[in-house]
Amino acid sequence: DRYQRRVHGAFGKPCGMVGRVDIGQIIFSVRTTPQFEKVAVEGLRRAKFKFPGRQNVAVSDKWGFTQYTHAEYTMFKNQDRLINRGNHVKVRNGHGVIGADSVNILTF
């Protein structure tokens, strides 16, 4: 807030760049194993006091950063339908050219 030599921007006025956050926008996303869920929630609870306004800590039922629940993820993994895309996955739907790529062929 203040410079060392002169009192520029006194009385705690903010100076510098800030990040704009919309209502309902996700600020942090944490992926952890179920055994460390309580520790992660406590860490985010403590971190939310460092930000002005009101923040909520929500625990999702999705698996990792994917859009699928744990049951759907294990079902697709057992069917060998998942394509790894880094920190998320894509599910093969079984459509496409037959015989062009053996990866796209599904057997049910």
Side-chain angles (χ1 to χ4, degrees):
D1 290 335
R2 300 171 184 224
Y3 292 111
Q4 293 295 325
R5 293 188 198 146
R6 298 180 196 102
V7 187
H8 292 288
F11 305 109
K13 294 176 188 166
C15 57
M17 295 181 62
V18 297
R20 293 189 176 220
V21 180
D22 294 327
I23 295 174
Q25 183 177 349
I26 296 173
I27 299 174
F28 289 112
S29 292
V30 177
R31 179 175 55 183
T32 183
T33 57
Q35 65 182 8
F36 296 120
E37 180 179 338
K38 290 182 181 179
V39 177
V41 169
E42 177 63 17
L44 290 174
R45 187 192 70 81
R46 291 182 182 192
K48 75 179 186 178
F49 295 115
K50 300 294 183 179
F51 295 96
R54 182 176 53 197
Q55 285 76 32
N56 297 325
V57 177
V59 178
S60 175
D61 60 344
K62 304 297 182 192
W63 182 251
F65 291 134
T66 66
Q67 59 184 350
Y68 308 108
T69 62
H70 180 63
E72 292 172 336
Y73 184 87
T74 54
M75 179 186 70
F76 290 143
K77 189 168 180 80
N78 291 337
Q79 293 175 355
D80 197 30
R81 293 181 60 184
L82 295 179
I83 301 172
N84 187 6
R85 296 287 190 214
N87 62 352
H88 68 282
V89 294
K90 183 177 178 183
V91 176
R92 293 189 201 110
N93 58 7
H95 297 266
V97 180
I98 297 176
D101 189 8
S102 62
V103 175
N104 291 328
I105 298 174
L106 295 177
T107 55
F108 294 116

